[in-house]
Amino acid sequence: MKHVNEDAILSTTERTLCCMIVRPRFNSPKNAKDQHMRFSLYAAVAALTLAVMPAAAQFSVGGDARVNPEDFAVTVFADDLNYPVGMVELPDGSLLVAVSTGGSFFSSPSGQILRLVDADDDGVAESRTVLLERLRIGGPSALRMAGDLLFVSGQGTPIAILRLGPAPDYEVTEVGRLYIGYSGSWLHPQSALQARLAPDSADIYELYFPLGSKVNFAKTTATLRLSGLGLSSSLAGDAIHRVRFRDDGETLTGIDHTQIATGLRSASGLAFDPRNGDLYFEDNGIDGLTEAIEAHSADEINVIPLDQIGGDIEDFGFPDNYIAYRTGEFVGGQGVPSLFAFTPLPDPANGSESEGPNEITFAPPGFPPGLNHGLFVGFHGQFSKGGLANEENPLVYADSQTGEYFHFIGNDEPAIGHLDGLLATGNKLYAADISSQGGFGSSAQNSGVIYLIRYTGDPPTAVVELAVETPAGYELGEAYPNPFNPSTTIRFSIPAAGHGLPATLQVYDATGQLVSTLLDATVSPGSYRADWDGTDAAGHAVASGSYFFRLRVGDQFMETRRGALLK
């Protein structure tokens, strides 16, 4: 990867501006006034350039042969942000981000919710608006959206539930809170969230959050009290919890609380598989047993299938069962095996490190094949160090099909602190650097940056072949999940009679207008899966509403299924 001088970092725009202003070439002017006019003209052109040129980021992507850096545009989407982490995308393509107030992240008295707009789609937000001036959550570390509800939490704070009004004002109103009654110290309090409409429901919501271990390397026996929304329940540590509630459009009413997992030290990143609704989450490994910054066990990615959520509590083995960080040995041999255990690459004994995962996200569906079916994982690395002093902070891609992983953004970038926040949509991956300097005190105030990584190469196909066995007949399955946000999956089958026939799978809105074409080709007999990410043919997010998926194969078969996009 290409590096720049840490003491003299200039963006592309800044370099252009310096060249234009500092080194103007003048013909011999007749007088000082003429020279002043010429210099003013150069300055005006430079100012215009500063206004319209995208701000190029100070790193590139790579790490594996499947990544062609020339197929990605990396820009500074927004900077001068005060500890950004949680982000969501609105239907109009603008971004909401939760930030802190005050100089210190961990002693922040409150937060704000900003709306960032990139109207010309050049990768740089040219405007920002404060939607909520005083969010009564200090140091917000998570922001999620389901339906018209926003969910915000910080480390050990209450969980605020807000209602987002319609465009263009997007008025924000608090409609509920969940409280966790901490007593004394708790090493890993709740700090992450995930939320969705319950499968097959239009008014029941599911909110997921972890409550980690009370101490570093021991099973937690203490419990905490959960209250709010009419609920009162006991929360176990080393766990992930789910709260369900009903929304009638005005009032939120709690339904129940369920513990869904145990044996987890700190599951500070959660994501739903957009294809099937399974819950994926990371778990931070044990560290500091022999040396403060040396990991004892590997960080992990785990999963609970949709049909097992809310059943028997899944046990993932902490503290006695883990993958040893420097050897890869499975110590203990009990508990649910992890999907990924992140040891140094290529050799656990002395390889390149990644420690302290924060948020995870499923890859943008518009990324190229090989990069659009796995997970991106942001590693925080060393607690308050950034740049070259933090050798544990890469952005990792974990390939769910092969079980392999690599550093998509390296851990040797001089301008990056901690890429703790992630958001994937369409062909874009947003990565929020909570503190580009690495620290969390007053000197790091307003040093946060959101980067946009956009795939600009040939668009990938939305259709994936699942099996080559020849089906007995044509079939177009129902969209799942449905309702959905932001994406859904449609399965279909082509029998031997369809071999060589032209096939189309297209998305229409409620007025009958064509929105997107997922398939337009001749296909072989087999079973297929098509993913739709809620965007039109130009890659722009579409509005909430009903959409229809129509499969046509020659003149032999045509069928339509309905799906509902709820944002």
Side-chain angles (χ1 to χ4, degrees):
M1 296 184 182
K2 182 179 180 181
H3 300 292
V4 295
N5 186 333
E6 187 176 14
D7 298 321
I9 297 175
L10 292 175
S11 70
T12 299
T13 304
E14 290 169 329
R15 286 196 295 271
T16 303
L17 184 60
C18 289
C19 291
M20 295 184 72
I21 292 181
V22 177
R23 302 175 187 171
R25 297 185 61 187
F26 299 110
N27 294 325
S28 299
K30 294 181 179 180
N31 52 53
K33 181 178 180 181
D34 186 21
Q35 180 171 337
H36 175 74
M37 291 176 63
R38 290 172 181 266
F39 186 84
S40 298
L41 176 61
Y42 276 95
V45 173
L48 180 61
T49 301
L50 179 62
V52 302
M53 286 186 62
Q58 298 300 317
F59 61 85
S60 61
V61 299
D64 188 83
R66 75 191 77 179
V67 182
N68 180 3
E70 295 182 357
D71 285 341
F72 292 87
V74 185
T75 55
V76 175
F77 185 76
D79 56 8
D80 296 324
L81 298 169
N82 205 32
Y83 305 115
V85 182
M87 301 172 284
V88 297
E89 185 184 50
L90 296 182
D92 62 7
S94 61
L95 218 63
L96 298 187
V97 57
V99 297
S100 297
T101 61
S104 170
F105 176 72
F106 291 101
S107 61
S108 170
S110 61
Q112 294 180 331
I113 295 181
L114 309 180
R115 177 172 174 247
L116 308 176
V117 179
D118 177 17
D120 58 5
D121 199 31
D122 68 347
V124 179
E126 63 269 13
S127 71
R128 64 182 69 182
T129 305
V130 179
L131 291 189
L132 188 59
E133 178 71 35
R134 187 169 180 80
L135 170 67
R136 294 185 299 120
I137 297 291
S141 56
L143 173 65
R144 299 296 185 186
M145 185 173 183
D148 64 352
L149 297 178
L150 299 172
F151 304 82
V152 190
S153 179
Q155 291 200 345
T157 71
I159 300 171
I161 307 174
L162 316 168
R163 195 178 302 281
L164 183 67
D169 295 334
Y170 292 114
E171 183 178 353
V172 179
T173 307
E174 184 168 322
V175 291
R177 282 196 170 217
L178 290 170
Y179 299 89
I180 299 175
Y182 289 96
S183 178
S185 64
W186 200 282
L187 184 63
H188 297 119
Q190 114 284 347
S191 62
L193 299 172
Q194 193 53 265
R196 66 180 172 191
L197 274 167
D200 304 319
S201 175
D203 63 350
I204 296 177
Y205 288 82
E206 298 179 339
L207 176 63
Y208 295 78
F209 60 89
L211 180 59
S213 63
K214 184 175 175 61
V215 297
N216 183 30
F217 187 29
K219 186 174 182 178
T220 302
T221 58
T223 60
L224 300 177
R225 177 59 51 181
L226 171 73
S227 61
L229 303 183
L231 298 173
S232 180
S233 185
S234 178
L235 297 179
D238 310 341
I240 295 177
H241 299 273
R242 181 188 71 185
V243 168
R244 297 194 305 164
F245 62 89
R246 178 172 279 105
D247 178 20
D248 65 6
E250 295 182 358
T251 304
L252 309 183
T253 304
I255 298 174
D256 58 25
H257 154 257
T258 305
Q259 180 181 344
I260 66 168
T262 189
L264 296 166
R265 182 172 178 265
S266 179
S268 59
L270 308 97
F272 297 119
D273 188 332
R275 297 162 296 186
N276 55 31
D278 294 348
L279 177 64
Y280 285 68
F281 50 92
E282 53 87 350
D283 190 26
N284 276 262
I286 303 160
D287 53 24
L289 295 188
T290 58
E291 185 180 351
I293 64 170
E294 177 64 13
H296 179 71
S297 65
D299 303 317
E300 299 178 350
I301 296 289
N302 298 283
V303 63
I304 303 177
L306 176 65
D307 60 4
Q308 296 178 26
I309 296 175
D312 293 339
I313 299 175
E314 303 282 351
D315 188 344
F316 292 88
F318 170 81
D320 299 320
N321 306 275
Y322 54 86
I323 301 297
Y325 184 67
R326 289 295 181 183
T327 66
E329 177 189 0
F330 187 9
V331 177
Q334 302 297 313
V336 180
S338 62
L339 295 179
F340 295 92
F342 297 101
T343 56
L345 294 173
D347 184 350
N350 55 18
S352 183
E353 297 190 75
S354 56
E355 287 191 42
N358 198 61
E359 281 199 350
I360 64 175
T361 186
F362 276 86
F367 268 27
L371 287 175
N372 60 2
H373 51 250
L375 290 145
F376 282 96
V377 186
F379 282 83
H380 183 93
Q382 294 199 41
F383 174 67
S384 58
K385 293 184 179 181
L388 300 181
N390 188 353
E391 78 284 5
E392 303 169 352
N393 65 345
L395 177 62
V396 168
Y397 178 71
D399 189 329
S400 58
Q401 293 186 343
T402 67
E404 300 173 344
Y405 58 92
F406 63 88
H407 295 180
F408 184 68
I409 298 174
N411 58 7
D412 53 359
E413 295 291 347
I416 290 178
H418 318 279
L419 296 177
D420 283 356
L422 298 174
L423 173 66
T425 175
N427 64 343
K428 302 174 182 177
L429 177 65
Y430 295 90
D433 188 345
I434 185 174
S435 165
S436 59
Q437 301 175 12
F440 295 92
S442 58
S443 63
Q445 185 175 10
N446 296 320
S447 68
V449 179
I450 296 176
Y451 297 102
L452 171 57
I453 304 167
R454 188 202 309 254
Y455 177 64
T456 58
D458 294 333
T461 177
V463 176
V464 176
E465 186 171 9
L466 299 175
V468 297
E469 291 82 2
T470 302
Y474 291 104
E475 183 179 1
L476 177 62
E478 299 288 348
Y480 184 86
N482 189 21
F484 62 93
N485 180 26
S487 61
T488 191
T489 295
I490 308 96
R491 295 174 183 262
F492 61 94
S493 299
I494 307 292
H499 179 71
L501 294 178
T504 59
L505 179 60
Q506 296 176 306
V507 185
Y508 295 85
D509 64 19
T511 69
Q513 295 296 311
L514 178 63
V515 175
S516 181
T517 297
L518 306 181
L519 171 68
D520 185 4
T522 58
V523 293
S524 301
S527 298
Y528 297 86
R529 184 197 78 221
D531 299 320
W532 185 50
D533 62 356
T535 61
D536 61 19
H540 300 136
V542 300
S544 297
S546 294
Y547 292 88
F548 299 87
F549 306 94
R550 180 175 298 167
L551 174 65
R552 184 192 299 269
V553 184
D555 59 359
Q556 292 193 3
F557 178 82
M558 185 178 73
E559 194 161 341
T560 301
R561 300 294 187 191
R562 177 184 175 276
L565 173 59
L566 297 180
K567 295 187 177 183

